[in-house]
Amino acid sequence: MANVIALENVEKIYDTGEVKVPALRGVSLQVASGEFVAIMGASGSGKSTLMNIIGCLDRPTKGKYLFDGQDVSRLSRTELAHIRNRKLGFIFQGFNLLKRHSAVENVEMPLLYAGVSARQRRKRALEMLSLVGLSQRAGHLPNQLSGGQQQRAAIARALVNQPQLLLADEPTGNLDSHTGAEILDQFQRLNRESGQTIVMVTHDPAIAAYAARLIAMRDGLIASDAVNPSQHAGPASHGAATATLAGSGVAGTMRTAS
């Protein structure tokens, strides 16, 4: 399959005026359409910086980033905003739902900015809420939803524009382990049944165990890039991932290393 993401020797250096801090030190990475990838790393490893660059929220200091074959470093702010709105879906740890708007209104927001008619916005938003099992909560405000339901609404909002890439930043960080497992199950279904490309950032190997490919960051570099054997072992893989979430570690079969 074609690459949705292609990074070539990407560096990111933050200049504070007194000192230059290298966050990424030459990262090369390709993610094909339909992959489910987890990027792991401790605080300061560079995983969040990499996520921001992949999500067109920041630009590399050096190197090249091609999104869907397009060199994003050459794009204007308006063009980057267009990509974020039309081709990327974002899911955050804190849900980021508008408190005074219902679940369906929150899901409609990306379509509003995209200029979609009110009738079509409502139709597509309700379809997405149904997809994540929230059709009965469409009219509820965020404070009337559980944490898991709020994250499902956030997933529906991220999917409503049919993005090429779904980016999830610590998506279960504010959830208990049971609810977190349900959200990760949802990611797996979206990937396997709809072919949704997903890149998930986490510090927790147990969360990463749900992805089919595991990338570990250390000191601004890719320390390892591995196929997750538990997700390539057939029907038993779901149980293995759930067991991992309960407290065990995760191992991977080495693919490449940078």
Side-chain angles (χ1 to χ4, degrees):
M1 290 188 179
N3 287 329
V4 177
I5 296 168
L7 289 88
E8 300 176 10
N9 296 314
V10 166
E11 297 182 22
K12 182 63 183 179
I13 300 171
Y14 293 103
D15 191 343
T16 65
E18 297 182 357
V19 63
K20 293 183 178 181
V21 180
L24 297 177
R25 302 171 182 264
V27 172
S28 295
L29 171 67
Q30 293 79 41
V31 176
S33 177
E35 283 198 89
F36 183 4
V37 180
I39 299 175
M40 299 177 291
S43 178
S45 64
K47 66 182 188 301
S48 295
T49 300
L50 181 58
M51 180 79 151
N52 287 339
I53 289 175
I54 290 173
C56 297
L57 297 169
D58 204 352
R59 297 178 187 266
T61 305
K62 297 180 182 179
K64 182 183 290 187
Y65 170 34
L66 302 179
F67 177 79
D68 193 29
Q70 190 172 24
D71 188 347
V72 299
S73 66
R74 300 178 181 273
L75 301 181
S76 66
R77 290 185 178 182
T78 300
E79 289 170 326
L80 288 173
H82 178 83
I83 287 179
R84 289 194 297 269
N85 183 252
R86 303 294 179 90
K87 296 187 176 184
L88 298 171
F90 295 90
I91 300 171
F92 303 99
Q93 179 177 334
F95 315 140
N96 291 2
L97 299 176
L98 299 177
K99 296 180 180 180
R100 297 184 180 181
H101 292 265
S102 67
V104 70
E105 290 169 341
N106 269 280
V107 175
E108 285 178 341
M109 283 298 171
L111 298 175
L112 177 64
Y113 293 121
V116 177
S117 69
R119 183 176 179 179
Q120 278 298 108
R121 290 201 305 267
R122 185 54 54 96
K123 179 177 181 291
R124 285 168 60 178
L126 289 172
E127 287 173 351
M128 290 303 102
L129 286 172
S130 177
L131 179 68
V132 299
L134 269 189
S135 56
Q136 301 302 313
R137 298 288 187 270
H140 288 59
L141 296 173
N143 64 7
Q144 297 172 317
L145 302 173
S146 68
Q149 289 171 339
Q150 289 186 60
Q151 193 61 297
R152 288 178 190 272
I155 293 171
R157 180 183 59 193
L159 292 171
V160 75
N161 264 341
Q162 299 176 314
Q164 286 179 267
L165 175 63
L166 191 63
L167 291 167
D169 187 6
E170 299 283 4
T172 64
N174 286 339
L175 304 174
D176 62 74
S177 59
H178 176 75
T179 306
E182 290 180 345
I183 294 300
L184 293 165
D185 284 342
Q186 185 78 55
F187 285 173
Q188 287 186 329
R189 284 194 294 273
L190 287 168
N191 175 249
R192 291 173 179 170
E193 297 175 10
S194 304
Q196 178 66 57
T197 309
I198 302 173
V199 173
M200 177 174 66
V201 167
T202 181
H203 70 282
D204 189 346
I207 303 302
Y210 279 74
R213 179 179 168 193
L214 311 174
I215 295 172
M217 297 287 297
R218 185 180 299 117
D219 298 330
L221 292 167
I222 293 178
S224 64
D225 186 345
V227 172
N228 182 359
S230 72
Q231 298 303 329
H232 290 266
S237 63
H238 170 77
T242 303
T244 302
L245 188 63
S248 64
V250 58
T253 303
M254 289 303 299
R255 223 173 114 162
T256 61
S258 297

